[in-house]
Amino acid sequence: DAGVIQSPRHEVTEMGQEVTLRCKPISGHDYLFWYRQTMMRGLELLIYFNNNVPIDDSGMPEDRFSAKMPNASFSTLKIQPSEPRDSAVYFCASKFGRSPINSQETQYFGPGTRLLVL
Amino acid sequence: AQKITQTQPGMFVQEKEAVTLDCTYDTSDPSYGLFWYKQPSSGEMIFLIYQGSYDQQNATEGRYSLNFQKARKSANLVISASQLGDSAMYFCAIRVKGAQKLVFGQGTRLTINP
């Protein structure tokens, strides 16, 4: 079975440019999460969706960041304009959130997108 | 709010030895789950093991086991018979029931020496 797919795997861009990160969750999963990992702040949740609807975007740093999920198999995280402090690894994760008994509901992560803004 | 503390920034272990990675947590919610993830140098986050707060037994998955001490609020990961491929960052995380957010610790970098 395919895991969470992210593209691109690496992105180098110049300050001020628009960056779009893409994610395909595991088929059948109804939750999708975007995380950011930096040395200073560790792993932090940016936003998550349930059934394609954004539920909590309180972790989105500022208006330069936006995320969409137009359908169950695709999500984007956009940064416009990008800044050097946005340099980080961005992870997408998904999970199946309707386990009747087992509350484990593990989040499965994609390989990440390593973003460098010069 | 929930918090995870991993006090060991780095650990060095000889191959084939057992290793314990520490994790303490803080939450006021009685229902929660604890997760361990492995992040090798390639960067992906790999789920290892899960422990629910109401689980009666410590979780085990192959060479991984979780030493869950609820009263102490600790959930240490034990890796038996360590292998060179176990060298990686290891993250402990918590999720309380009803919430979706995983709160991660800062991680422990484990190095297995031959």
Side-chain angles (χ1 to χ4, degrees):
Chain A
D1 289 340
V4 176
I5 299 171
Q6 291 186 248
S7 65
R9 294 293 309 277
H10 302 271
E11 178 81 27
V12 180
T13 190
E14 292 188 347
M15 183 174 62
Q17 296 298 305
E18 178 179 296
V19 175
T20 299
L21 311 181
R22 297 172 176 80
C23 175
K24 176 180 171 56
I26 293 172
S27 178
H29 283 189
D30 54 345
Y31 281 87
L32 184 141
F33 304 82
W34 283 100
Y35 288 87
R36 179 172 67 176
Q37 184 180 32
T38 61
M39 288 293 292
M40 292 296 296
R41 301 176 66 91
L43 271 156
E44 49 184 350
L45 177 67
L46 300 177
I47 185 172
Y48 78 88
F49 296 81
N50 178 217
N51 291 323
N52 314 336
V53 177
I55 302 299
D56 183 356
D57 65 354
S58 59
M60 295 285 263
E62 47 196 273
D63 292 346
R64 297 184 298 107
F65 285 69
S66 63
K68 294 182 180 179
M69 192 166 185
N71 57 63
S73 58
F74 184 66
S75 177
T76 60
L77 178 67
K78 186 174 294 187
I79 309 173
Q80 167 61 18
S82 58
E83 296 182 3
R85 60 192 167 123
D86 301 331
S87 298
V89 180
Y90 291 82
F91 287 102
C92 177
S94 71
K95 76 165 192 178
F96 179 69
R98 285 168 286 171
S99 302
I101 297 175
N102 183 359
S103 62
Q104 177 172 337
E105 297 185 3
T106 298
Q107 293 182 24
Y108 294 93
F109 283 72
T113 295
R114 189 173 295 274
L115 174 65
L116 177 61
V117 183
L118 302 174
Chain B
Q2 299 78 47
K3 185 179 179 181
I4 292 285
T5 302
Q6 294 181 254
T7 57
Q8 307 151 310
M11 286 194 68
F12 295 84
V13 175
Q14 287 299 117
E15 189 180 9
K16 299 182 183 178
E17 290 183 352
V19 57
T20 298
L21 305 181
D22 294 342
C23 171
T24 57
Y25 59 92
D26 186 25
T27 181
S28 57
D29 199 299
S31 181
Y32 50 89
L34 295 155
F35 301 77
W36 277 91
Y37 287 84
K38 171 184 178 182
Q39 187 176 39
S41 58
S42 52
E44 69 267 34
M45 295 285 287
I46 302 167
F47 166 71
L48 295 178
I49 195 167
Y50 164 84
Q51 179 81 47
S53 59
Y54 293 119
D55 292 346
Q56 294 298 309
Q57 294 186 333
N58 287 344
T60 61
E61 288 287 348
R63 293 188 298 113
Y64 304 109
S65 60
L66 209 151
N67 184 1
F68 182 46
Q69 298 187 48
K70 195 170 181 177
R72 293 186 176 185
K73 292 191 173 180
S74 75
N76 299 338
L77 177 70
V78 179
I79 305 174
S80 64
S82 59
Q83 302 171 357
L84 296 178
D86 294 332
S87 294
M89 284 288 288
Y90 288 80
F91 292 93
C92 181
I94 187 171
R95 182 178 72 85
V96 298
K97 185 179 180 180
Q100 302 303 328
K101 180 180 180 179
L102 274 178
V103 175
F104 288 85
Q106 287 299 102
T108 295
R109 182 172 297 280
L110 175 65
T111 302
I112 306 298
N113 295 316

